[in-house]
Amino acid sequence: MQANHNYSRISDSYLFSTIAQKIAAYSELHPDKNIIRLGIGDVTQPIVPAVIEALHQAVDEQATTETFRGYGPEGGYDFLKETIALHDFQELGLSIDSSEIFVSDGAKSDIANLQELFEKESIIAIGDPVYPVYIDSNVLAGRLGDWDETSGEWSELVYLASHSDNNFTPSLPTEKVDVIYLCYPNNPTGMTLTKEELQSWVDYALEHESLILFDAAYEAYIQEDGIPHSIYECDGAEHCAIEVRSFSKKAGFTGLRLGYTVVPKALTYQGKSLNHMWNRRQSTKFNGAPYIIQRAGWACYQEPAKSQIDENIQYYMDNARIIRDGLEEVGATVYGGVNAPYIWLKTPEGITSYEFFDKLLEDVQVVGTPGVGFGPSGEGYFRLTAFNTRENTEEAVERLQTFFREL
Amino acid sequence: MQANHNYSRISDSYLFSTIAQKIAAYSELHPDKNIIRLGIGDVTQPIVPAVIEALHQAVDEQATTETFRGYGPEGGYDFLKETIALHDFQELGLSIDSSEIFVSDGAKSDIANLQELFEKESIIAIGDPVYPVYIDSNVLAGRLGDWDETSGEWSELVYLASHSDNNFTPSLPTEKVDVIYLCYPNNPTGMTLTKEELQSWVDYALEHESLILFDAAYEAYIQEDGIPHSIYECDGAEHCAIEVRSFSKKAGFTGLRLGYTVVPKALTYQGKSLNHMWNRRQSTKFNGAPYIIQRAGWACYQEPAKSQIDENIQYYMDNARIIRDGLEEVGATVYGGVNAPYIWLKTPEGITSYEFFDKLLEDVQVVGTPGVGFGPSGEGYFRLTAFNTRENTEEAVERLQTFFREL
């Protein structure tokens, strides 16, 4: 048996595992120190009461022969798919149908698995910096060539650089690319594209017969008008884009595991329907999200859960504002945090993102994520998340202010 | 963008979807007929009371900040992995450690995803007949060559034929193969291997440096002594085998979605640890099974859930006996049903398995699965499942007896 050689291309450890190890090592040396974690983007608010109630009801349904549900449809129950199509798309005037919705155990799996739809030889462009799963999953499939230690880049990947010099709006590729990964509101920068900017990507994809994989996991955090909630707000996107959504950040489902992917029926390449292909992929290699979790997902769209969820989002966005304002007060340069729960902090002159991570942990015991972990354009930046309690957020801001004042 | 051409190799529809369509078409024409479904292997008994209680408790934990669980370890919580290692392995004298257990959303995903561990060019041998996911998932990865309509075989797959002539014990391959898929107790035949027979496969794999993917999803149904519950009962298996287990058939989790895969640390090829590789794969492309479902899995190993689950298994195995005995009474030839919830019925002389399916649906409204759907060696056989209520099982047997008597 020959082990898949592509696994040798990549480090054994995923970004967040590496960071967890660094924190664990520090904790062991300094057991008395109170570390505040604004690192990994995990929610901290519990599941809202109305969704808890829906979970209990669904659990009870599993207890009697009459209401027991075994295998469900691999792509999700109609009650959930129809609710999603209605509230997330049709009510916004977008003509997405429930047969174009595929419910899954989360955006991470979908984003990683969607690459099975295209050929191994495809030329891939990925927003930089970005959620590491896009790159790592393509490396494991042997698509991105070799790692170049000097440049900190994969040899066959087209990087779509986002940084303060271009106001975090990457330029269209100068060459023809086959597949484009975009994430807006962006993880990690917390920045967004306007509808016009996103339309230019759709136009590029239509012209070059490219496919856009649009990750809208943070859609629920958009506060300002004029920011697209879905790529299907752009003309022609149903002919060139797949959109991935998540209940994780929207409704705190990081531990419940639920997401969905939109594959429009109009999406065809060489006469092949990606909707049919994704259906074949999911029904062959996946057996659906748990019934009780799908019921919880359904409940998120009903009152009073909807308002309870909105309150949680507001809570996190208030945290984001507190972090932004607090850092600006001491002269730090910050981005994001307005339409997303992430603050993208410029590290002080001459300090790399990993040095900043170590220094912050050592000096004030605040944990964030080194920007370079999200890609080469992340060097010189640092991600802080709004996912914590108000108390911890305020305490972290005070410590960060002390840190910057003493710099 | 070039769509993955491997998807053109395979029919749009998965076996059980095709069958569901046939039943739906019949139902629409004959809305008055009462169809009994012994087709798809889905459980019918509800989740046992003690597991329902564990689910409710875990749901409540998600309701308060103090006990809320967000992202968990991708490979499963320690409380579950340690319980599995202890009860499913260590108590049987097998030295499997919790770090060798990877919890997932089910055996279907694992069996399909494990192929990412080996090279695309690997030579694959698969038990025939078998659960269609092994073949379909490899076809989608472009590994099995082309479909030959005449032989009903994939051009580059080594079929390990099981039929009445070899007492459902396939011969070892005459050539060297890289990866071997085995499923025991077998789906669909319901037949098993003795420990000595399984040892011969382990010995082959050790000699040829092959990898065995051992699917033990039906392990809990083994009733007779001398039938291996785990491949690790065989000498040296930790150097050549991965084992996949499921809570679906054991504890009725088909709608809850939980399984696990054992990747021993001793399993290395070209110096690469498959345990490390699988950990990398799962942490990059999967985010763990839901916390509440893992708590339910944990509860399955505790009393009183354990006894309640055993009762359900006994219930299904009584159904299996009723089907076996009833069919033998009218002179039908049947296999399986002793250590597995499946009965493998020989179709009457000159009737193909799909003809038999149609005839049975038409004449007595009993649904099973055509054997050939599980592979070429399944032609001339038909699968009936013990997963139904006692009442439906008895009624189905009466109808089958009428059918065979009138033949």
Side-chain angles (χ1 to χ4, degrees):
Chain A
M1 201 284 277
Q2 296 291 317
N4 183 347
H5 71 284
N6 292 310
Y7 279 68
S8 309
R9 298 178 191 265
I10 205 164
S11 64
D12 250 12
S13 177
Y14 177 63
L15 169 64
F16 295 110
S17 318
T18 310
I19 297 209
Q21 283 158 18
K22 272 179 175 266
I23 303 169
Y26 180 85
S27 282
E28 208 175 305
L29 278 175
H30 308 277
D32 53 315
K33 297 286 189 186
N34 164 26
I35 298 171
I36 300 182
R37 291 156 199 258
L38 306 181
I40 193 162
D42 196 0
V43 297
T44 50
Q45 294 290 93
I47 300 296
V48 301
V51 173
I52 291 289
E53 200 184 313
L55 281 165
H56 280 305
Q57 281 176 11
V59 167
D60 283 334
E61 285 183 61
Q62 295 293 61
T64 72
T65 310
E66 294 68 34
T67 52
F68 173 74
R69 307 261 190 150
Y71 290 126
E74 293 94 348
Y77 280 99
D78 281 341
F79 67 77
L80 179 56
K81 295 198 296 180
E82 285 165 9
T83 299
I84 289 169
L86 177 64
H87 295 295
D88 285 350
F89 300 97
Q90 291 160 12
E91 284 181 355
L92 308 181
L94 307 174
S95 59
I96 296 294
D97 182 70
S98 65
S99 63
E100 299 173 308
I101 306 284
F102 294 85
V103 174
S104 75
D105 67 327
K108 184 181 182 184
S109 316
D110 282 354
I111 271 290
N113 294 333
L114 278 165
Q115 58 172 324
E116 295 177 29
L117 294 182
F118 43 88
E119 291 286 32
K120 182 176 171 298
E121 293 69 25
S122 306
I123 298 166
I124 314 283
I126 298 185
D128 168 37
V130 89
Y131 180 49
V133 167
Y134 311 164
I135 290 183
D136 286 10
S137 61
N138 274 292
V139 170
L140 295 182
R143 266 203 197 86
L144 304 189
D146 297 309
W147 176 249
D148 181 342
E149 195 62 50
T150 317
S151 65
E153 297 194 356
W154 292 96
S155 61
E156 293 175 22
L157 171 61
V158 176
Y159 287 85
L160 305 171
S162 290
H163 37 63
S164 57
D165 293 349
N166 62 11
N167 195 29
F168 300 93
T169 310
S171 309
L172 293 172
T174 47
E175 66 254 79
K176 179 186 174 332
V177 301
D178 298 312
V179 182
I180 300 161
Y181 287 77
L182 295 178
C183 172
Y184 290 100
N186 187 256
N187 174 11
T189 68
M191 300 294 274
T192 52
L193 293 187
T194 63
K195 191 170 157 186
E196 291 63 38
E197 287 163 345
L198 187 57
Q199 183 68 55
S200 74
W201 286 92
V202 170
D203 293 342
Y204 172 94
L206 290 172
E207 186 187 335
H208 294 88
E209 293 182 40
S210 321
L211 170 68
I212 297 176
L213 297 178
F214 189 72
D215 181 349
Y218 295 91
E219 170 274 334
Y221 287 84
I222 296 172
Q223 310 284 309
E224 295 181 316
D225 291 338
I227 308 295
H229 286 247
S230 165
I231 197 167
Y232 303 115
E233 293 180 36
C234 296
D235 291 336
E238 71 277 17
H239 294 289
C240 66
I242 287 174
E243 182 165 304
V244 178
R245 295 275 191 108
S246 170
F247 287 76
S248 287
K249 306 305 162 66
K250 171 185 171 164
F253 275 37
T254 52
L256 291 181
R257 313 304 316 135
L258 194 68
Y260 70 85
T261 284
V262 186
V263 189
K265 290 196 163 162
L267 199 56
T268 60
Y269 293 84
Q270 300 94 48
K272 291 178 200 159
S273 158
L274 294 200
N275 180 287
H276 284 182
M277 286 173 66
W278 187 242
N279 185 51
R280 197 20 155 134
R281 194 275 168 207
Q282 291 299 80
S283 57
T284 303
K285 301 177 74 171
F286 178 63
N287 238 338
Y291 170 71
I292 57 179
I293 305 295
Q294 292 193 54
R295 269 288 164 211
W298 173 85
C300 293
Y301 292 89
Q302 324 299 322
E303 288 297 358
K306 212 162 161 290
S307 302
Q308 293 167 349
I309 288 167
D310 285 346
E311 269 173 47
N312 275 351
I313 290 174
Q314 213 43 63
Y315 180 89
Y316 293 130
M317 290 312 292
D318 287 344
N319 284 349
R321 188 183 38 75
I322 289 165
I323 300 172
R324 257 188 87 101
D325 291 355
L327 287 169
E328 284 183 336
E329 212 177 291
V330 291
T333 308
V334 290
Y335 302 95
V338 175
N339 294 298
Y342 294 123
I343 284 85
W344 194 235
L345 167 65
K346 194 134 189 50
T347 59
E349 193 68 27
I351 302 181
T352 70
S353 59
Y354 266 106
E355 284 165 1
F356 189 74
F357 173 89
D358 290 335
K359 220 168 145 48
L360 219 55
L361 177 60
E362 188 68 41
D363 291 3
V364 294
Q365 294 82 51
V366 171
V367 169
T369 311
V372 74
F374 298 100
S377 296
E379 185 53 279
Y381 295 91
F382 197 73
R383 191 188 76 172
L384 294 165
T385 90
F387 294 124
N388 214 314
T389 59
R390 180 63 38 80
E391 195 188 348
N392 281 344
T393 303
E394 286 171 345
E395 166 73 19
V397 168
E398 274 179 40
R399 295 190 197 177
L400 287 164
Q401 289 187 328
T402 308
F403 178 88
F404 271 93
R405 286 197 179 108
E406 288 177 0
L407 214 64
Chain B
M1 199 286 276
Q2 296 290 318
N4 183 347
H5 71 283
N6 292 310
Y7 278 69
S8 309
R9 298 178 191 265
I10 205 164
S11 64
D12 250 12
S13 177
Y14 178 63
L15 169 64
F16 294 110
S17 318
T18 311
I19 299 215
Q21 284 158 17
K22 271 180 176 268
I23 303 169
Y26 179 86
S27 281
E28 208 175 305
L29 279 174
H30 307 279
D32 54 314
K33 297 286 189 184
N34 164 26
I35 298 171
I36 300 181
R37 290 155 199 260
L38 304 181
I40 193 163
D42 196 0
V43 297
T44 50
Q45 294 290 94
I47 299 297
V48 302
V51 173
I52 291 289
E53 201 184 313
L55 281 165
H56 280 305
Q57 281 175 11
V59 167
D60 283 334
E61 285 183 62
Q62 296 293 62
T64 71
T65 310
E66 294 68 35
T67 54
F68 172 75
R69 307 262 191 150
Y71 289 125
E74 293 93 349
Y77 280 99
D78 281 341
F79 67 77
L80 179 56
K81 294 198 297 179
E82 284 165 9
T83 299
I84 288 169
L86 177 65
H87 295 295
D88 285 351
F89 300 97
Q90 291 160 11
E91 285 182 355
L92 309 180
L94 307 174
S95 59
I96 296 294
D97 182 71
S98 65
S99 61
E100 300 174 308
I101 306 284
F102 295 84
V103 174
S104 75
D105 68 327
K108 184 180 182 184
S109 316
D110 283 354
I111 271 289
N113 294 334
L114 279 165
Q115 57 172 325
E116 295 176 30
L117 294 181
F118 43 87
E119 291 285 32
K120 182 175 173 297
E121 295 69 25
S122 306
I123 298 166
I124 314 283
I126 297 185
D128 169 38
V130 89
Y131 179 48
V133 167
Y134 310 165
I135 289 183
D136 287 10
S137 61
N138 274 291
V139 170
L140 295 182
R143 268 204 196 84
L144 303 189
D146 297 307
W147 175 250
D148 180 343
E149 195 62 50
T150 317
S151 65
E153 296 193 357
W154 292 95
S155 60
E156 292 175 23
L157 171 61
V158 177
Y159 287 85
L160 306 170
S162 290
H163 37 63
S164 57
D165 293 350
N166 63 10
N167 195 29
F168 300 92
T169 311
S171 309
L172 294 171
T174 48
E175 66 254 80
K176 180 186 175 330
V177 301
D178 299 312
V179 182
I180 301 161
Y181 286 77
L182 295 178
C183 172
Y184 291 101
N186 187 256
N187 174 11
T189 69
M191 299 293 276
T192 52
L193 293 186
T194 63
K195 191 169 159 185
E196 291 65 35
E197 286 163 346
L198 187 57
Q199 182 69 54
S200 74
W201 286 92
V202 169
D203 292 342
Y204 171 95
L206 291 171
E207 187 187 335
H208 295 88
E209 292 182 39
S210 322
L211 170 67
I212 296 175
L213 297 178
F214 189 72
D215 181 350
Y218 295 91
E219 170 274 334
Y221 288 84
I222 295 172
Q223 310 285 307
E224 295 181 316
D225 291 338
I227 309 294
H229 285 246
S230 165
I231 197 166
Y232 304 114
E233 293 179 36
C234 296
D235 292 337
E238 71 276 17
H239 294 288
C240 67
I242 287 174
E243 182 165 304
V244 178
R245 294 275 190 106
S246 170
F247 286 77
S248 288
K249 306 306 162 66
K250 171 185 171 163
F253 276 37
T254 51
L256 292 181
R257 314 302 318 136
L258 194 68
Y260 70 85
T261 284
V262 186
V263 188
K265 291 196 164 163
L267 198 56
T268 59
Y269 293 83
Q270 299 95 46
K272 291 178 201 161
S273 158
L274 293 200
N275 181 287
H276 284 182
M277 286 172 67
W278 187 241
N279 184 51
R280 194 29 154 128
R281 194 274 168 207
Q282 291 299 81
S283 57
T284 303
K285 300 177 73 170
F286 178 63
N287 239 338
Y291 170 71
I292 57 179
I293 305 294
Q294 292 192 56
R295 269 289 163 211
W298 173 86
C300 293
Y301 293 89
Q302 324 299 323
E303 288 296 359
K306 213 162 160 290
S307 304
Q308 293 167 350
I309 287 166
D310 285 346
E311 270 174 46
N312 275 351
I313 290 173
Q314 213 43 65
Y315 180 88
Y316 293 130
M317 290 312 292
D318 287 344
N319 284 348
R321 189 182 38 73
I322 289 166
I323 299 171
R324 257 187 86 101
D325 292 355
L327 287 169
E328 283 182 336
E329 214 178 290
V330 291
T333 308
V334 290
Y335 302 95
V338 175
N339 294 300
Y342 294 123
I343 285 86
W344 194 236
L345 167 65
K346 194 136 188 48
T347 58
E349 193 69 27
I351 302 182
T352 70
S353 59
Y354 265 106
E355 285 166 0
F356 190 74
F357 173 88
D358 290 334
K359 221 169 143 48
L360 219 54
L361 178 60
E362 187 70 41
D363 291 4
V364 295
Q365 294 81 50
V366 171
V367 169
T369 310
V372 74
F374 298 101
S377 296
E379 185 53 279
Y381 295 92
F382 196 74
R383 191 189 77 172
L384 294 165
T385 91
F387 294 124
N388 214 314
T389 60
R390 181 63 38 79
E391 195 188 348
N392 281 344
T393 304
E394 286 170 346
E395 166 73 19
V397 168
E398 275 180 39
R399 294 190 196 177
L400 288 164
Q401 289 188 327
T402 308
F403 178 88
F404 271 94
R405 285 197 179 108
E406 288 177 359
L407 212 65

